[in-house]
Amino acid sequence: MDKKAFFDSVTNMEEQIGDLYGQLSGLKDNLQIVLEENNRLTIENTHLREALNQQQDVPAEDGGDKVSETTQTVTPDQSAGHDNLMQLYKEGFHICNVHFGSPRTNGEDCLFCLGFLGHKNQ
Ligand SMILES: [Zn+2]
């Protein structure tokens, strides 16, 4: 391979790496969007479960055996929702309403998140 062809080849490779870098950057942005959306949905799902459970906890006026059966399934759902949020926090994401699903900077603790988790533990 002559020197000019070699130089052209390296230049071509450099351009390809530049293109790949751009694509990688785009993929990373998309991944972050998907992760944050997933986190938001996990949090929303937990809140919806809790709202549903609270509704089911209210004794129905026409209540019967069916209501108490439904209520018995509440506790596992609640703890599962809490576990999901705790897991999300441990993985380095906010679960508080303030930053909602975004990554925690440098894994630093967030007082809002900790307050939220503490409140849930009571
Ligand atoms: Zn937070």
Side-chain angles (χ1 to χ4, degrees), residues 10-121:
V10 170
T11 302
N12 186 31
M13 205 181 294
E14 186 182 24
E15 285 171 0
Q16 286 181 348
I17 290 173
D19 286 346
L20 284 174
Y21 187 79
Q23 288 179 35
L24 184 62
S25 184
L27 283 174
K28 191 181 160 196
D29 289 345
N30 286 334
L31 178 63
Q32 175 153 4
I33 290 169
V34 170
L35 279 176
E36 291 190 14
E37 179 66 14
N38 188 31
N39 293 340
R40 272 192 288 275
L41 290 173
T42 300
I43 293 168
E44 188 181 0
N45 188 22
T46 301
H47 289 162
L48 289 173
R49 278 174 194 266
E50 286 172 358
L52 184 65
N53 290 339
Q54 278 170 6
Q55 272 191 339
Q56 289 173 340
D57 283 344
V58 176
E61 289 181 4
D62 61 342
D65 290 343
K66 191 166 185 233
V67 171
S68 60
E69 276 174 25
T70 320
T71 312
Q72 284 172 355
T73 64
V74 161
T75 311
D77 283 352
Q78 267 181 332
S79 82
H82 181 261
D83 287 350
N84 285 345
L85 291 181
M86 179 66 87
Q87 183 62 32
L88 207 52
Y89 185 76
K90 281 180 182 169
E91 286 174 6
F93 295 96
H94 284 280
I95 56 167
C96 59
N97 291 330
V98 185
H99 302 293
F100 214 58
S102 59
R104 285 188 286 123
T105 314
N106 300 325
E108 286 174 10
D109 281 328
C110 167
L111 291 179
F112 298 111
C113 288
L114 291 177
F116 185 68
L117 284 172
H119 174 70
K120 295 278 170 190
N121 280 329

